[in-house]
């Protein structure tokens, strides 16, 4: 952790809860770049992020964490590289109701492989109340075959405490000596 400013990325497919997660955790009103959906995204929701979401979490007087949400659509992948610069970690949100959430996992791990070479990963699975499979154990098995053992949590992106758990797990991955 840097003493003043830190940057965490939230990534994942459309509808996984990135915008909602940042809004639920940010200590300032979040900045969003939602636009009316005009492609297959319209089947899942009416608006989608086209550039980024942004919020700030104040850890103490001197330390803040900048929260950046990436667009979920592959056509905006140029933003993924831009937003990854200077990131200290990645929170990958996966929507368990999507047709192929394991493929989503594999796709986003590959898309953010450059960041993940130097930064930790935490995985949050959303909408498990609507689709109970795959389970967190299944995700863990897939990740382990890829040589990864990140913390994995079932979360509700609307719940500040759930999202705070993701951020804390990421920060503890960076510095296990951090105080709660």
């Amino acid at each position: 952790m840097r003493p003043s400013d830190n940057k965490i990325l939230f990534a994942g497919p459309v509808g996984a809860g990135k915008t909602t997660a940042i809004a639920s955790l940010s200590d300032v009103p979040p900045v969003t770049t939602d636009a009316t959906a005009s492609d297959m995204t319209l089947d899942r929701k009416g608006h989608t992020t086209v550039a980024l979401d942004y919020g700030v979490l104040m850890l103490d007087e001197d330390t803040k964490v900048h929260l950046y949400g990436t667009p979920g659509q592959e056509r905006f992948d140029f933003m993924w590289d831009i937003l990854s610069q200077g990131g200290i970690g990645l929170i990958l949100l996966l929507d368990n109701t999507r047709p192929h959430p394991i493929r989503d996992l594999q796709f986003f791990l590959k898309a953010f492989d450059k960041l993940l070479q130097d930064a930790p990963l935490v995985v949050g699975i959303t909408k498990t109340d609507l689709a109970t499979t795959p389970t967190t154990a299944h995700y863990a098995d897939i990740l382990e075959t890829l040589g990864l053992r990140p913390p994995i949590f079932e979360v509700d992106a609307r719940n500040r405490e759930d999202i705070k758990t993701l951020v804390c797990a990421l920060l503890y991955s960076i510095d296990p000596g951090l105080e709660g």
Side-chain angles (χ1 to χ4, degrees):
M1 290 282 302
R2 294 176 219 143
S4 57
D5 293 318
N6 303 279
K7 179 183 190 179
I8 292 176
L9 249 58
F10 285 75
V14 169
K18 300 174 298 289
T19 300
T20 302
I22 289 172
S24 72
L25 190 60
S26 182
D27 291 325
V28 301
V31 174
T32 62
T33 58
D34 279 0
T36 302
S38 61
D39 56 9
M40 69 264 185
T41 302
L42 198 50
D43 295 337
R44 296 196 68 79
K45 60 185 200 167
H47 289 83
T48 190
T49 300
V50 296
L52 62 94
D53 296 312
Y54 173 75
V56 176
L57 176 63
M58 298 299 299
L59 297 182
D60 59 37
E61 291 178 1
D62 301 319
T63 309
K64 60 182 163 181
V65 177
H66 300 274
L67 310 168
Y68 284 88
T70 65
Q73 296 170 294
E74 190 174 358
R75 68 184 168 134
F76 298 116
D77 65 351
F78 65 93
M79 288 300 299
W80 301 348
D81 290 333
I82 293 168
L83 293 173
S84 291
Q85 294 174 17
I88 63 169
L90 176 68
I91 294 175
L92 179 56
L93 293 179
L94 298 167
D95 175 351
N96 231 32
T97 66
R98 285 179 50 93
H100 305 287
I102 297 298
R103 275 196 235 158
D104 291 338
L105 169 70
Q106 294 165 329
F107 174 82
F108 282 96
L109 289 175
K110 185 175 181 184
F112 287 91
D113 65 342
K114 185 176 177 185
L115 174 64
L116 294 173
Q117 290 174 16
D118 300 316
L121 168 70
V122 171
V123 178
I125 312 301
T126 63
K127 303 180 187 173
T128 56
D129 57 326
L130 303 174
T132 57
T133 58
T135 64
T136 54
H138 188 78
Y139 285 104
D141 290 344
I142 298 296
L143 287 159
E144 189 149 350
T145 64
L146 300 170
L148 300 169
R149 297 182 79 176
I152 304 169
F153 301 91
E154 291 183 10
V155 296
D156 180 337
R158 300 166 295 186
N159 184 304
R160 179 179 173 89
E161 291 305 311
D162 282 6
I163 304 308
K164 196 172 170 181
T165 297
L166 295 175
V167 171
C168 286
L170 186 69
L171 296 176
Y172 291 141
S173 294
I174 294 166
D175 184 353
L178 286 175
E179 294 180 24

